[in-house]
Every structure is written in structure tokens, then in C-alpha cells.
Amino acid sequence: APVPTTDADSVLSIYSDTYSNLAETNFNPNWGQSTVVTVDSVVAESNVLLYENLNYQGTNLGGADGVDQDLTVAEYLHIDLWTPYADTLNFFLISRTTGEQAYRLPAAAAEWMSIDIPLSHFTDLGLGLSDIFQFKVDGGNGTTIVYFDNIYFGGIAPVSVAGLNVPDVFAMHQNY
């Protein structure tokens, strides 16, 4: 996957080698899916998130059952993906109070795709961003293989508080 160049102070990273990731994210909750998840599969000396046998796959953010993330301060969701197929995949953000909304991910066979999804896409569909605790990917037919890297929320205004990084600022924002 391409190496991201976005300033680390303006992202909340879920999965990336480049940034510090949101701690305790559960990449493989048991939702009854057939997908096999490998966290930190090594490809070309880089760690990636690998979904094999994909039908759908959920992720709980920041804890085993998901912890609310206030993403009202973010502008977009970035995802890098690679698949040997040109399958259409759907990416869902899931809010604890307003449900879930999808974004159709473009896919081209056998090439890395870098996708920036404006969070306004989700809010225009009625999704609140103050309590995002999960996301999921679906659209696979049970044989689909997808590699993900650099999943992060970006466009966050950097905060100049000595000794704090973006996840710390998110935690402070959520607790007041």
C-alpha cells in the first residue's frame, strides 16, 4: 500500500504501520461471518489487515465490544485496499444511536486503491458521528480476498497540547 503522508497529528488511526493505532480495537468480533481475519499479515515487508473468504466482517473500535468514538471533529475516512478481484464492497460506519450507513468502495483487480470517503456522505444519510463504535465491510461472496492498510479518520485539526497525541485528545473530547 502507499505510505500515507498525512500529518500524524491530524488522524485517528484504526490500522496502519505509519501511525499509532486506536488501542484495543477488536478486528475479529464473532458476528457469525465466514471471513478469516489475519491482523499484521506481512506483504512486501509491510503489515496489512487480510480478509479471506469474505462475506462480511465487523470491527469493534477501541475495545472488545466497541467504544464510542466522537468523530464529529474528523472530515474523512481513508482506506487503502487491494483485491485480486474487482468485487464491489460496501463499507459501513455504525453509530450506537443512529444505526449504520454504507459507502460503496470502488475496487479494481490487482491494484492498490486509496480511497478518501467524506464523512459528510454518512451524515447526509442521517448517521450521527458522535458515537461511532463499529464498522463493517460486506459484499464478498465467501471466496473474496481483500488486503487493507492505512484505515484512519483524517482532517482533524491538530491540537497543540504538549505531550498529547490525537488518540489522547479524542479521549479527552469524549470524556467532557
Side-chain angles (χ1 to χ4, degrees), residues 86-120:
D87 290 343
T88 298
L89 301 173
N90 297 301
F91 190 95
F92 294 78
L93 282 183
I94 305 172
S95 159
R96 195 171 302 276
T97 58
T98 58
E100 62 184 50
Q101 291 295 338
Y103 182 88
R104 186 167 295 243
L105 296 173
E111 67 180 75
W112 278 101
M113 303 279 300
S114 290
I115 304 156
D116 287 329
I117 306 168
L119 292 180
S120 61

mmCIF file of all heavy atoms in Angstrom, residues 86-120:
data_model
loop_
_atom_site.group_PDB
_atom_site.id
_atom_site.type_symbol
_atom_site.label_atom_id
_atom_site.label_comp_id
_atom_site.label_asym_id
_atom_site.label_seq_id
_atom_site.Cartn_x
_atom_site.Cartn_y
_atom_site.Cartn_z
ATOM 1 N N ALA A 86 -12.378 -7.701 -8.853
ATOM 2 C CA ALA A 86 -12.986 -6.374 -8.939
ATOM 3 C C ALA A 86 -14.351 -6.400 -8.257
ATOM 4 O O ALA A 86 -15.312 -5.816 -8.735
ATOM 5 C CB ALA A 86 -13.100 -5.928 -10.388
ATOM 6 N N ASP A 87 -14.425 -7.098 -7.132
ATOM 7 C CA ASP A 87 -15.689 -7.180 -6.391
ATOM 8 C C ASP A 87 -16.088 -5.812 -5.862
ATOM 9 O O ASP A 87 -15.243 -4.997 -5.509
ATOM 10 C CB ASP A 87 -15.557 -8.123 -5.181
ATOM 11 C CG ASP A 87 -15.429 -9.580 -5.581
ATOM 12 O OD1 ASP A 87 -15.757 -9.913 -6.729
ATOM 13 O OD2 ASP A 87 -14.990 -10.373 -4.736
ATOM 14 N N THR A 88 -17.380 -5.593 -5.780
ATOM 15 C CA THR A 88 -17.895 -4.385 -5.154
ATOM 16 C C THR A 88 -18.042 -4.657 -3.668
ATOM 17 O O THR A 88 -18.638 -5.648 -3.262
ATOM 18 C CB THR A 88 -19.265 -4.013 -5.753
ATOM 19 O OG1 THR A 88 -19.078 -3.757 -7.135
ATOM 20 C CG2 THR A 88 -19.825 -2.787 -5.076
ATOM 21 N N LEU A 89 -17.456 -3.790 -2.870
ATOM 22 C CA LEU A 89 -17.535 -3.927 -1.423
ATOM 23 C C LEU A 89 -18.258 -2.721 -0.855
ATOM 24 O O LEU A 89 -18.206 -1.628 -1.409
ATOM 25 C CB LEU A 89 -16.133 -4.006 -0.827
ATOM 26 C CG LEU A 89 -15.247 -5.141 -1.322
ATOM 27 C CD1 LEU A 89 -13.838 -4.986 -0.782
ATOM 28 C CD2 LEU A 89 -15.835 -6.479 -0.932
ATOM 29 N N ASN A 90 -18.922 -2.919 0.261
ATOM 30 C CA ASN A 90 -19.586 -1.836 0.976
ATOM 31 C C ASN A 90 -18.912 -1.668 2.321
ATOM 32 O O ASN A 90 -18.638 -2.647 3.009
ATOM 33 C CB ASN A 90 -21.069 -2.154 1.185
ATOM 34 C CG ASN A 90 -21.789 -2.282 -0.129
ATOM 35 O OD1 ASN A 90 -21.812 -1.359 -0.925
ATOM 36 N ND2 ASN A 90 -22.363 -3.448 -0.383
ATOM 37 N N PHE A 91 -18.658 -0.420 2.685
ATOM 38 C CA PHE A 91 -18.061 -0.100 3.971
ATOM 39 C C PHE A 91 -19.104 0.653 4.785
ATOM 40 O O PHE A 91 -19.628 1.661 4.327
ATOM 41 C CB PHE A 91 -16.814 0.775 3.783
ATOM 42 C CG PHE A 91 -16.027 0.948 5.043
ATOM 43 C CD1 PHE A 91 -14.959 0.130 5.319
ATOM 44 C CD2 PHE A 91 -16.368 1.930 5.964
ATOM 45 C CE1 PHE A 91 -14.226 0.282 6.487
ATOM 46 C CE2 PHE A 91 -15.650 2.088 7.133
ATOM 47 C CZ PHE A 91 -14.583 1.259 7.392
ATOM 48 N N PHE A 92 -19.401 0.164 5.980
ATOM 49 C CA PHE A 92 -20.420 0.746 6.848
ATOM 50 C C PHE A 92 -19.777 1.346 8.085
ATOM 51 O O PHE A 92 -18.979 0.688 8.741
ATOM 52 C CB PHE A 92 -21.396 -0.327 7.346
ATOM 53 C CG PHE A 92 -22.249 -0.946 6.300
ATOM 54 C CD1 PHE A 92 -21.751 -1.926 5.447
ATOM 55 C CD2 PHE A 92 -23.580 -0.576 6.171
ATOM 56 C CE1 PHE A 92 -22.551 -2.510 4.491
ATOM 57 C CE2 PHE A 92 -24.396 -1.157 5.217
ATOM 58 C CZ PHE A 92 -23.873 -2.118 4.372
ATOM 59 N N LEU A 93 -20.136 2.575 8.416
ATOM 60 C CA LEU A 93 -19.874 3.112 9.743
ATOM 61 C C LEU A 93 -21.100 2.811 10.577
ATOM 62 O O LEU A 93 -22.235 2.909 10.076
ATOM 63 C CB LEU A 93 -19.647 4.621 9.710
ATOM 64 C CG LEU A 93 -18.294 5.111 9.230
ATOM 65 C CD1 LEU A 93 -18.214 6.632 9.342
ATOM 66 C CD2 LEU A 93 -17.148 4.468 9.989
ATOM 67 N N ILE A 94 -20.897 2.465 11.854
ATOM 68 C CA ILE A 94 -22.010 2.084 12.723
ATOM 69 C C ILE A 94 -22.004 2.965 13.966
ATOM 70 O O ILE A 94 -21.028 3.007 14.715
ATOM 71 C CB ILE A 94 -21.930 0.594 13.104
ATOM 72 C CG1 ILE A 94 -21.861 -0.268 11.831
ATOM 73 C CG2 ILE A 94 -23.129 0.204 13.967
ATOM 74 C CD1 ILE A 94 -21.594 -1.734 12.074
ATOM 75 N N SER A 95 -23.127 3.664 14.159
ATOM 76 C CA SER A 95 -23.339 4.538 15.309
ATOM 77 C C SER A 95 -24.189 3.800 16.326
ATOM 78 O O SER A 95 -25.125 3.077 15.959
ATOM 79 C CB SER A 95 -24.058 5.815 14.849
ATOM 80 O OG SER A 95 -24.700 6.454 15.920
ATOM 81 N N ARG A 96 -23.898 4.004 17.582
ATOM 82 C CA ARG A 96 -24.683 3.354 18.625
ATOM 83 C C ARG A 96 -26.136 3.842 18.630
ATOM 84 O O ARG A 96 -27.045 3.082 18.925
ATOM 85 C CB ARG A 96 -24.036 3.605 19.992
ATOM 86 C CG ARG A 96 -24.574 2.676 21.065
ATOM 87 C CD ARG A 96 -23.790 2.770 22.368
ATOM 88 N NE ARG A 96 -22.379 2.498 22.276
ATOM 89 C CZ ARG A 96 -21.831 1.278 22.298
ATOM 90 N NH1 ARG A 96 -22.583 0.209 22.359
ATOM 91 N NH2 ARG A 96 -20.520 1.145 22.238
ATOM 92 N N THR A 97 -26.374 5.118 18.265
ATOM 93 C CA THR A 97 -27.737 5.661 18.357
ATOM 94 C C THR A 97 -28.445 5.842 17.018
ATOM 95 O O THR A 97 -29.671 5.826 16.978
ATOM 96 C CB THR A 97 -27.733 7.029 19.072
ATOM 97 O OG1 THR A 97 -26.879 7.917 18.367
ATOM 98 C CG2 THR A 97 -27.281 6.887 20.511
ATOM 99 N N THR A 98 -27.682 6.016 15.918
ATOM 100 C CA THR A 98 -28.359 6.301 14.644
ATOM 101 C C THR A 98 -28.198 5.192 13.614
ATOM 102 O O THR A 98 -28.553 5.374 12.453
ATOM 103 C CB THR A 98 -27.887 7.649 14.054
ATOM 104 O OG1 THR A 98 -26.469 7.613 13.863
ATOM 105 C CG2 THR A 98 -28.277 8.806 14.964
ATOM 106 N N GLY A 99 -27.664 4.033 14.020
ATOM 107 C CA GLY A 99 -27.610 2.874 13.125
ATOM 108 C C GLY A 99 -26.367 2.839 12.261
ATOM 109 O O GLY A 99 -25.278 3.198 12.694
ATOM 110 N N GLU A 100 -26.551 2.394 11.033
ATOM 111 C CA GLU A 100 -25.421 2.223 10.126
ATOM 112 C C GLU A 100 -25.760 2.783 8.754
ATOM 113 O O GLU A 100 -26.933 2.817 8.363
ATOM 114 C CB GLU A 100 -25.022 0.756 10.005
ATOM 115 C CG GLU A 100 -26.101 -0.140 9.436
ATOM 116 C CD GLU A 100 -25.695 -1.606 9.412
ATOM 117 O OE1 GLU A 100 -25.240 -2.120 10.455
ATOM 118 O OE2 GLU A 100 -25.851 -2.235 8.350
ATOM 119 N N GLN A 101 -24.726 3.227 8.057
ATOM 120 C CA GLN A 101 -24.864 3.696 6.685
ATOM 121 C C GLN A 101 -23.652 3.205 5.902
ATOM 122 O O GLN A 101 -22.555 3.096 6.438
ATOM 123 C CB GLN A 101 -24.959 5.221 6.608
ATOM 124 C CG GLN A 101 -26.233 5.795 7.169
ATOM 125 C CD GLN A 101 -27.479 5.401 6.383
ATOM 126 O OE1 GLN A 101 -27.426 5.043 5.205
ATOM 127 N NE2 GLN A 101 -28.620 5.439 7.051
ATOM 128 N N ALA A 102 -23.879 2.933 4.614
ATOM 129 C CA ALA A 102 -22.853 2.331 3.766
ATOM 130 C C ALA A 102 -22.258 3.321 2.782
ATOM 131 O O ALA A 102 -22.884 4.313 2.403
ATOM 132 C CB ALA A 102 -23.441 1.157 2.988
ATOM 133 N N TYR A 103 -21.058 2.983 2.353
ATOM 134 C CA TYR A 103 -20.391 3.652 1.246
ATOM 135 C C TYR A 103 -19.867 2.548 0.344
ATOM 136 O O TYR A 103 -19.195 1.623 0.824
ATOM 137 C CB TYR A 103 -19.235 4.517 1.752
ATOM 138 C CG TYR A 103 -18.524 5.270 0.654
ATOM 139 C CD1 TYR A 103 -18.972 6.521 0.250
ATOM 140 C CD2 TYR A 103 -17.409 4.733 0.018
ATOM 141 C CE1 TYR A 103 -18.326 7.226 -0.754
ATOM 142 C CE2 TYR A 103 -16.760 5.426 -0.989
ATOM 143 C CZ TYR A 103 -17.225 6.668 -1.367
ATOM 144 O OH TYR A 103 -16.586 7.361 -2.365
ATOM 145 N N ARG A 104 -20.164 2.607 -0.930
ATOM 146 C CA ARG A 104 -19.702 1.591 -1.877
ATOM 147 C C ARG A 104 -18.248 1.883 -2.235
ATOM 148 O O ARG A 104 -17.950 2.949 -2.768
ATOM 149 C CB ARG A 104 -20.567 1.588 -3.124
ATOM 150 C CG ARG A 104 -20.217 0.460 -4.078
ATOM 151 C CD ARG A 104 -21.301 0.310 -5.114
ATOM 152 N NE ARG A 104 -22.514 -0.101 -4.434
ATOM 153 C CZ ARG A 104 -23.129 -1.261 -4.638
ATOM 154 N NH1 ARG A 104 -22.661 -2.097 -5.518
ATOM 155 N NH2 ARG A 104 -24.217 -1.566 -3.970
ATOM 156 N N LEU A 105 -17.371 0.942 -1.910
ATOM 157 C CA LEU A 105 -15.946 1.099 -2.195
ATOM 158 C C LEU A 105 -15.654 0.692 -3.631
ATOM 159 O O LEU A 105 -16.024 -0.415 -4.039
ATOM 160 C CB LEU A 105 -15.110 0.223 -1.263
ATOM 161 C CG LEU A 105 -15.157 0.541 0.225
ATOM 162 C CD1 LEU A 105 -14.417 -0.527 1.015
ATOM 163 C CD2 LEU A 105 -14.563 1.914 0.489
ATOM 164 N N PRO A 106 -14.988 1.537 -4.383
ATOM 165 C CA PRO A 106 -14.574 1.111 -5.717
ATOM 166 C C PRO A 106 -13.461 0.076 -5.571
ATOM 167 O O PRO A 106 -12.676 0.136 -4.624
ATOM 168 C CB PRO A 106 -14.054 2.394 -6.359
ATOM 169 C CG PRO A 106 -13.624 3.238 -5.215
ATOM 170 C CD PRO A 106 -14.547 2.888 -4.071
ATOM 171 N N ALA A 107 -13.408 -0.859 -6.460
ATOM 172 C CA ALA A 107 -12.338 -1.860 -6.431
ATOM 173 C C ALA A 107 -11.900 -2.154 -7.854
ATOM 174 O O ALA A 107 -12.733 -2.275 -8.747
ATOM 175 C CB ALA A 107 -12.805 -3.137 -5.741
ATOM 176 N N ALA A 108 -10.619 -2.231 -8.026
ATOM 177 C CA ALA A 108 -10.039 -2.629 -9.308
ATOM 178 C C ALA A 108 -9.189 -3.858 -9.032
ATOM 179 O O ALA A 108 -8.539 -3.952 -7.997
ATOM 180 C CB ALA A 108 -9.196 -1.497 -9.882
ATOM 181 N N ALA A 109 -9.215 -4.798 -9.944
ATOM 182 C CA ALA A 109 -8.492 -6.046 -9.734
ATOM 183 C C ALA A 109 -6.984 -5.805 -9.703
ATOM 184 O O ALA A 109 -6.430 -5.128 -10.567
ATOM 185 C CB ALA A 109 -8.835 -7.040 -10.832
ATOM 186 N N ALA A 110 -6.365 -6.340 -8.645
ATOM 187 C CA ALA A 110 -4.912 -6.424 -8.515
ATOM 188 C C ALA A 110 -4.188 -5.081 -8.544
ATOM 189 O O ALA A 110 -3.098 -4.962 -9.089
ATOM 190 C CB ALA A 110 -4.345 -7.356 -9.583
ATOM 191 N N GLU A 111 -4.784 -4.063 -7.923
ATOM 192 C CA GLU A 111 -4.061 -2.803 -7.732
ATOM 193 C C GLU A 111 -4.525 -2.151 -6.443
ATOM 194 O O GLU A 111 -5.668 -2.285 -6.033
ATOM 195 C CB GLU A 111 -4.230 -1.856 -8.914
ATOM 196 C CG GLU A 111 -5.622 -1.308 -9.113
ATOM 197 C CD GLU A 111 -5.718 -0.371 -10.307
ATOM 198 O OE1 GLU A 111 -5.709 -0.867 -11.440
ATOM 199 O OE2 GLU A 111 -5.824 0.844 -10.079
ATOM 200 N N TRP A 112 -3.600 -1.455 -5.781
ATOM 201 C CA TRP A 112 -3.941 -0.749 -4.558
ATOM 202 C C TRP A 112 -4.828 0.432 -4.893
ATOM 203 O O TRP A 112 -4.553 1.172 -5.833
ATOM 204 C CB TRP A 112 -2.695 -0.265 -3.821
ATOM 205 C CG TRP A 112 -2.070 -1.337 -2.989
ATOM 206 C CD1 TRP A 112 -0.976 -2.076 -3.297
ATOM 207 C CD2 TRP A 112 -2.525 -1.796 -1.711
ATOM 208 N NE1 TRP A 112 -0.718 -2.967 -2.284
ATOM 209 C CE2 TRP A 112 -1.658 -2.818 -1.300
ATOM 210 C CE3 TRP A 112 -3.583 -1.447 -0.881
ATOM 211 C CZ2 TRP A 112 -1.798 -3.497 -0.100
ATOM 212 C CZ3 TRP A 112 -3.734 -2.121 0.323
ATOM 213 C CH2 TRP A 112 -2.852 -3.130 0.703
ATOM 214 N N MET A 113 -5.887 0.588 -4.129
ATOM 215 C CA MET A 113 -6.801 1.722 -4.261
ATOM 216 C C MET A 113 -6.698 2.530 -2.964
ATOM 217 O O MET A 113 -6.778 1.960 -1.880
ATOM 218 C CB MET A 113 -8.246 1.251 -4.424
ATOM 219 C CG MET A 113 -8.504 0.312 -5.579
ATOM 220 S SD MET A 113 -8.677 1.145 -7.134
ATOM 221 C CE MET A 113 -10.068 2.198 -6.840
ATOM 222 N N SER A 114 -6.517 3.835 -3.084
ATOM 223 C CA SER A 114 -6.539 4.738 -1.937
ATOM 224 C C SER A 114 -7.833 5.528 -2.014
ATOM 225 O O SER A 114 -8.068 6.235 -2.991
ATOM 226 C CB SER A 114 -5.340 5.687 -1.960
ATOM 227 O OG SER A 114 -4.153 4.989 -1.696
ATOM 228 N N ILE A 115 -8.654 5.389 -0.988
ATOM 229 C CA ILE A 115 -9.992 5.966 -1.008
ATOM 230 C C ILE A 115 -10.158 6.894 0.192
ATOM 231 O O ILE A 115 -9.887 6.503 1.326
ATOM 232 C CB ILE A 115 -11.054 4.842 -0.956
ATOM 233 C CG1 ILE A 115 -10.829 3.870 -2.116
ATOM 234 C CG2 ILE A 115 -12.460 5.416 -0.964
ATOM 235 C CD1 ILE A 115 -11.366 2.490 -1.880
ATOM 236 N N ASP A 116 -10.591 8.111 -0.067
ATOM 237 C CA ASP A 116 -10.959 9.059 0.980
ATOM 238 C C ASP A 116 -12.461 9.262 0.903
ATOM 239 O O ASP A 116 -12.971 9.785 -0.093
ATOM 240 C CB ASP A 116 -10.241 10.403 0.804
ATOM 241 C CG ASP A 116 -8.772 10.329 1.165
ATOM 242 O OD1 ASP A 116 -8.409 9.522 2.045
ATOM 243 O OD2 ASP A 116 -7.988 11.081 0.565
ATOM 244 N N ILE A 117 -13.163 8.827 1.942
ATOM 245 C CA ILE A 117 -14.624 8.949 1.999
ATOM 246 C C ILE A 117 -14.962 10.167 2.848
ATOM 247 O O ILE A 117 -14.649 10.190 4.043
ATOM 248 C CB ILE A 117 -15.258 7.696 2.635
ATOM 249 C CG1 ILE A 117 -14.804 6.427 1.921
ATOM 250 C CG2 ILE A 117 -16.777 7.834 2.661
ATOM 251 C CD1 ILE A 117 -15.145 5.147 2.668
ATOM 252 N N PRO A 118 -15.598 11.177 2.271
ATOM 253 C CA PRO A 118 -16.012 12.318 3.096
ATOM 254 C C PRO A 118 -17.026 11.847 4.143
ATOM 255 O O PRO A 118 -17.990 11.145 3.815
ATOM 256 C CB PRO A 118 -16.666 13.282 2.109
ATOM 257 C CG PRO A 118 -16.385 12.749 0.749
ATOM 258 C CD PRO A 118 -16.015 11.310 0.885
ATOM 259 N N LEU A 119 -16.812 12.211 5.391
ATOM 260 C CA LEU A 119 -17.755 11.805 6.434
ATOM 261 C C LEU A 119 -19.121 12.448 6.227
ATOM 262 O O LEU A 119 -20.134 11.937 6.712
ATOM 263 C CB LEU A 119 -17.195 12.094 7.818
ATOM 264 C CG LEU A 119 -15.984 11.230 8.190
ATOM 265 C CD1 LEU A 119 -15.491 11.575 9.589
ATOM 266 C CD2 LEU A 119 -16.293 9.750 8.079
ATOM 267 N N SER A 120 -19.162 13.519 5.446
ATOM 268 C CA SER A 120 -20.453 14.136 5.111
ATOM 269 C C SER A 120 -21.335 13.171 4.320
ATOM 270 O O SER A 120 -22.561 13.271 4.369
ATOM 271 C CB SER A 120 -20.251 15.433 4.326
ATOM 272 O OG SER A 120 -19.570 15.170 3.105
#
